[in-house]
Amino acid sequence: MSVGRWLNRRLQVWRETTVPDGAGGQVSTWVLQGEVRAKVDQPSASDRLLAQQSGSKHSHSVYLLPTADVQRRDELRAPGQTYRVLAAVQPSGPRYVKADCELTQKQGGP
């Protein structure tokens, strides 16, 4: 059974990359990797408790197709929202990818 029918949003995947700065050093920049279909949920109470015990700031669970190229430290972006990926895991049967994320907001946001 595919999770595709529940993936009701599109998010951009951004990955931090280092590139030469032209003066012998390097600079970090964010590069768009593509777009993925996703479902964004708040984690269960047990997921939140486990995250708190390990010092994580897991605020949202993002479900993706099993072929989605999403890695730890990526950012999943939608207009007005940025989710920082804390971990991306796949169950033993590759039906989906679950990314534990932290919603970050720009200063002065709601």
Side-chain angles (χ1 to χ4, degrees):
M1 181 163 103
S2 174
V3 298
R5 64 184 167 152
W6 287 293
L7 306 180
N8 57 3
R9 298 183 65 180
R10 293 203 176 272
L11 301 173
Q12 293 179 334
V13 179
W14 290 80
R15 189 164 294 148
E16 190 173 24
T17 312
T18 52
V19 295
D21 66 1
Q26 295 181 332
V27 64
S28 293
T29 186
W30 289 91
V31 178
L32 177 63
Q33 300 296 304
E35 192 174 83
V36 293
R37 291 175 51 208
K39 179 178 189 294
V40 179
D41 282 341
Q42 291 189 351
S44 68
S46 60
D47 284 344
R48 285 193 308 269
L49 179 61
L50 184 61
Q52 287 174 347
Q53 289 174 341
S54 65
S56 178
K57 296 179 180 180
H58 178 192
S59 66
H60 288 78
S61 296
V62 179
Y63 295 90
L64 310 151
L65 289 172
T67 55
D69 180 19
V70 173
Q71 302 173 8
R72 182 175 166 266
R73 296 181 54 183
D74 283 352
E75 288 186 352
L76 303 175
R77 299 180 187 176
Q81 297 176 320
T82 298
Y83 300 94
R84 186 172 55 90
V85 178
L86 305 171
V89 295
Q90 196 172 60
S92 58
R95 297 179 187 269
Y96 61 89
V97 170
K98 178 183 173 192
D100 295 339
C101 299
E102 176 186 11
L103 176 63
T104 60
Q105 296 179 339
K106 293 183 180 181
Q107 189 171 355

